[in-house]
Amino acid sequence: MKLPPTAHTDRPWRIHEITPDFRLEDVWALPATGGPEDFPKLLEQMTSSENHLPGVAGVLFAIRWQLGRLLGWDKEDSGLDGRVRSLRERLPDDLRDRPPGPAPRSLPFQPLYLTEDEWAAETANRTMHGVMHVSWVPDGSDGHRAHMAVLVKPNGLLGKAYMAAILPFRHILVYPALMRTIERAWKARQAEPA
C-alpha cells in the first residue's frame, strides 16, 4: 500500500542525514509484519536470489536491462564510484564501522548500512543515483510493519525524463507485483516450522 511521504519523513531514520540532496519518490507499506526479531528475516527474503518479479513486471525489468546495455546507461563508469561517489563516504563513523547488511543478489544495489530497524542500499547509472530504504516500524501494538522508501537523485535532463517516463509503470505494474511477491514469500516463511 502506498503511504504518504510523512510516513518516512516524520520518522528519525538515519538515511535523512545521508541523503539531504535526494528526493523522496515513493513510500510503501510492505506486506510483512512481525516482532523486532523478524527484521533480519525480511532482509534475507528481500535480498535473496529467488526474489524475482513475475509476469509483466519481470518482463519490464528485462527490457530495462536490455535498453541499458544498448544505450550505455549501465556501464561501470556510469555507476557507483564512476559517475557518482558512493554514499558510504557520507556515513557517520558509527554506521561506517558496522557491517552494511546483505547485498541484493538479483538487483544492482550495494548495501550502505544496517541498524536494528533500517537498511539502505544504493545504485547508480547514467540516469540516476538511487537509494532503497527498508525499515521496521513499530505498529503501536507490540508488533512491527515493514516500510520501503525510494530516494532518487536524477542525473540531469535524461534522469528527470527517465524518472517521469517510468512513473506509471512503477505504480501500475512493478510495485503491485513486488507487493504480491513479498506477501507470498513472507506468508510462506511464517508458515515454516520454527
Side-chain angles (χ1 to χ4, degrees):
M1 167 175 53
K2 189 161 175 34
L3 296 173
T6 54
H8 177 75
T9 57
D10 285 356
R11 301 213 49 95
W13 303 127
R14 301 295 302 274
I15 197 66
H16 300 315
E17 63 194 273
I18 299 157
T19 57
D21 51 340
F22 282 60
R23 74 178 189 217
L24 181 61
E25 282 290 310
D26 295 301
V27 184
W28 292 85
L30 301 180
T33 59
E37 71 285 351
D38 290 322
F39 188 50
K41 296 173 190 171
L42 173 68
L43 296 180
E44 178 185 322
Q45 174 188 312
M46 289 188 69
T47 58
S48 158
S49 58
E50 291 121 29
N51 195 22
H52 295 287
L53 290 176
V56 176
V59 170
L60 283 174
F61 267 97
I63 291 169
R64 162 56 186 91
W65 301 134
Q66 287 296 332
L67 277 174
R69 273 194 282 284
L70 288 171
L71 300 173
W73 291 347
D74 303 319
K75 290 183 179 176
E76 195 169 317
D77 66 346
S78 66
L80 297 173
D81 295 324
R83 184 182 68 77
V84 298
R85 308 294 294 169
S86 171
L87 293 174
R88 283 202 57 84
E89 294 181 2
R90 296 183 183 185
L91 294 180
D93 290 341
D94 67 310
L95 291 180
R96 190 177 302 123
D97 293 342
R98 300 172 72 133
R105 293 189 275 281
S106 61
L107 292 173
F109 280 83
Q110 295 297 316
L112 279 171
Y113 68 88
L114 173 66
T115 70
E116 295 74 27
D117 59 1
E118 63 179 305
W119 170 77
E122 68 179 323
T123 190
N125 58 42
R126 185 99 35 227
T127 64
M128 58 84 203
H129 188 177
V131 174
M132 173 174 45
H133 181 264
V134 178
S135 54
W136 201 231
V137 182
D139 65 9
S141 61
D142 295 330
H144 288 73
R145 159 170 226 96
H147 286 187
M148 180 180 72
V150 176
L151 300 105
V152 174
K153 187 175 184 181
N155 183 23
L157 290 176
L158 171 65
K160 289 177 184 170
Y162 173 79
M163 293 307 297
I166 68 170
L167 178 75
F169 297 103
R170 284 192 347 252
H171 286 259
I172 295 169
L173 299 170
V174 174
Y175 285 128
L178 177 64
M179 297 305 148
R180 288 189 300 271
T181 300
I182 291 170
E183 183 174 30
R184 272 193 305 271
W186 190 252
K187 284 181 178 176
R189 179 179 290 275
Q190 298 301 88
E192 291 174 1

